[in-house]
Amino acid sequence: MRSPAEISEAVGAKMRDRLQETLARRAELLGVGVDARAEAAGKAGTGASTAASAAASAVPAAASIGEAVRHEWAAPPMHSDAAIRAQTGQGWDEWIDAIDAGVGRDAAHPRIVEWVMANSAQNGWWSQGIAVSFERMTGRRLAGQMPDGTFTANRSRTLPVDREVLRELIADDAARDALLGFETEFRSKVASKTYKVLLARDGQPIGGLLFTFDPAPNGRTKFAIAHEKLQVVDEIELWKAHWGVWLDALELAFA
């Protein structure tokens, strides 16, 4: 089997032109795309962005998708009205009214979660879902948007490689920059189950990658990449495509 340095060089060479294309497209998106970040710290998504407004016009009103509610939704909730009513005794209409009257629409995400937990019998998981759904329906958060207003692109592949080999490859400080095509900073302990790597280009941050390594049958590994801290919603598909090609190159390097 090739050494980590040899694999990194092979992948980097395959990805050199593609990376330049991705970065050029990213520059276009950040220049003319809609920035869906929060306008104020602690108020992720407060004040609907142009992207949120566009999403609102593209998503049908709740009544048109079979939900008997009064409010029009900027984006669909995580659960159907029937499911949330069965779990909590209230539909989304009542939840929107309750949160508006309680903690208020401009409250930060953690505060909404706290309020739901304090004013209902819901556990943390359901309270998170209610808060996220409230933010989506009221236009404060787009689907796929994090509480801080950024976005995440996800790709995964089951590779015919033992997970310890992949972990060693990502943790290798000497070879990682060539492997990923960026200036990188390893932000995890080597013994951690997941690895976090910050990315930069010419000193400018380009988010971070969260790697997970799950064992699969026959010595294979389900290898997942989450590219976090993306600035605009259109970056999701851009980086999903990029990391898909990168996974192709990585799989070929191990062949």
Side-chain angles (χ1 to χ4, degrees):
M1 181 179 291
R2 292 175 169 180
S3 69
E6 291 171 331
I7 292 171
S8 295
E9 288 297 332
V11 173
K14 284 279 187 183
M15 291 298 297
R16 193 165 292 120
D17 290 342
R18 178 57 185 248
L19 178 58
Q20 293 304 318
E21 293 173 7
T22 298
L23 292 174
R25 178 58 180 151
R26 175 180 181 268
E28 293 176 4
L29 291 175
L30 295 184
V32 301
V34 177
D35 191 340
R37 288 173 293 180
E39 293 183 359
K43 292 186 178 181
T46 301
S49 65
T50 305
S53 299
S57 64
V59 176
S64 69
I65 57 174
E67 307 290 1
V69 298
R70 288 183 290 108
H71 295 283
E72 291 188 354
W73 298 343
M78 293 177 65
H79 310 287
S80 70
D81 194 70
I84 198 66
R85 190 177 296 279
Q87 169 65 27
T88 69
Q90 297 187 111
W92 287 122
D93 187 45
E94 291 95 335
W95 273 112
I96 291 174
D97 289 342
I99 294 172
D100 276 343
V103 71
R105 187 164 297 198
D106 290 340
H109 175 81
R111 183 71 186 94
I112 297 174
V113 175
E114 291 173 0
W115 185 89
V116 172
M117 292 185 69
N119 290 274
S120 72
Q122 305 311 308
N123 60 23
W125 188 87
W126 276 100
S127 296
Q128 285 281 357
I130 290 168
V132 169
S133 295
F134 171 80
E135 290 166 333
R136 286 186 185 178
M137 291 185 293
T138 56
R140 288 186 48 184
R141 183 195 295 228
L142 300 176
Q145 192 173 18
M146 301 296 106
D148 64 356
T150 64
F151 299 87
T152 300
N154 296 283
R155 286 307 294 255
S156 65
R157 181 78 56 84
T158 299
L159 298 174
V161 183
D162 184 82
R163 65 174 175 171
E164 292 306 318
V165 174
L166 289 170
R167 288 170 59 84
E168 178 185 354
L169 186 65
I170 300 301
D172 191 324
D173 290 334
R176 190 174 49 250
D177 285 13
L179 176 70
L180 298 175
F182 294 94
E183 302 148 22
T184 66
E185 181 183 351
F186 190 67
R187 295 298 300 271
S188 301
K189 294 181 179 179
V190 174
S192 299
K193 291 183 178 180
T194 60
Y195 284 168
K196 179 69 174 285
V197 176
L198 300 185
L199 304 180
R201 190 77 169 181
D202 298 326
Q204 297 300 312
I206 308 185
L209 301 179
L210 181 67
F211 295 97
T212 58
F213 316 82
D214 292 320
N218 302 317
R220 299 178 300 162
T221 302
K222 184 177 181 182
F223 183 46
I225 306 168
H227 191 160
E228 303 173 325
K229 302 297 182 182
L230 305 179
Q231 300 303 300
V232 297
V233 66
D234 288 341
E235 280 194 273
I236 296 176
E237 292 304 319
L238 175 69
W239 288 108
K240 281 179 67 175
H242 178 85
W243 294 116
V245 175
W246 183 84
L247 285 168
D248 290 340
L250 182 63
E251 188 168 9
L252 183 63
F254 278 113

